[in-house]
Amino acid sequence: MEHALLDVLPGRAAEFEEAFGEARALISASPGFLGLQLLRCLENGDRYLLLVRWESVEAHTAGFRQGPSYARWSELLHRFYSPFPVVEHFQDLGV
């Protein structure tokens, strides 16, 4: 599971959500993609939590980030973040 806490520039949430709609098609077409959730914070409307399920860490880091769609993903979304998000991967322990 990929986890990214996205702090969107104040007042740009609606624009971010619209851009994410286009970006979603790019990531979902990537090999190894299993699904995603984009959640908006109730206490801070400019903060989002992105959770992406991948078959493996490599499907994300090598497959998507080094693949042909990542440049467009970056163009659509990276302009909205301040600071740039830390992206981490988590494993379900099944407990």
Side-chain angles (χ1 to χ4, degrees):
M1 176 75 70
E2 171 194 355
H3 163 283
L5 192 59
L6 310 175
D7 286 312
V8 171
L9 295 166
R12 300 196 63 195
E15 186 183 356
F16 166 72
E17 290 178 18
E18 184 176 328
F20 193 88
E22 183 178 341
R24 183 182 197 121
L26 298 170
I27 196 170
S28 63
S30 184
F33 172 85
L34 299 176
L36 70 75
Q37 288 183 285
L38 180 65
L39 308 168
R40 189 173 188 183
C41 181
L42 295 175
E43 291 79 14
N44 176 351
D46 293 323
R47 177 170 288 162
Y48 294 81
L49 175 61
L50 175 62
L51 300 171
V52 185
R53 290 187 325 277
W54 295 100
E55 286 180 0
S56 65
V57 172
E58 294 75 20
H60 175 223
T61 58
F64 179 60
R65 283 195 175 169
Q66 295 177 21
S69 298
Y70 190 72
R72 179 66 179 145
W73 169 274
S74 297
E75 180 183 312
L76 285 167
L77 300 177
H78 289 185
R79 61 195 163 113
F80 292 106
Y81 309 138
S82 182
F84 197 78
V86 173
V87 175
E88 297 176 309
H89 300 90
F90 293 82
Q91 180 178 12
D92 183 355
L93 300 178
V95 295

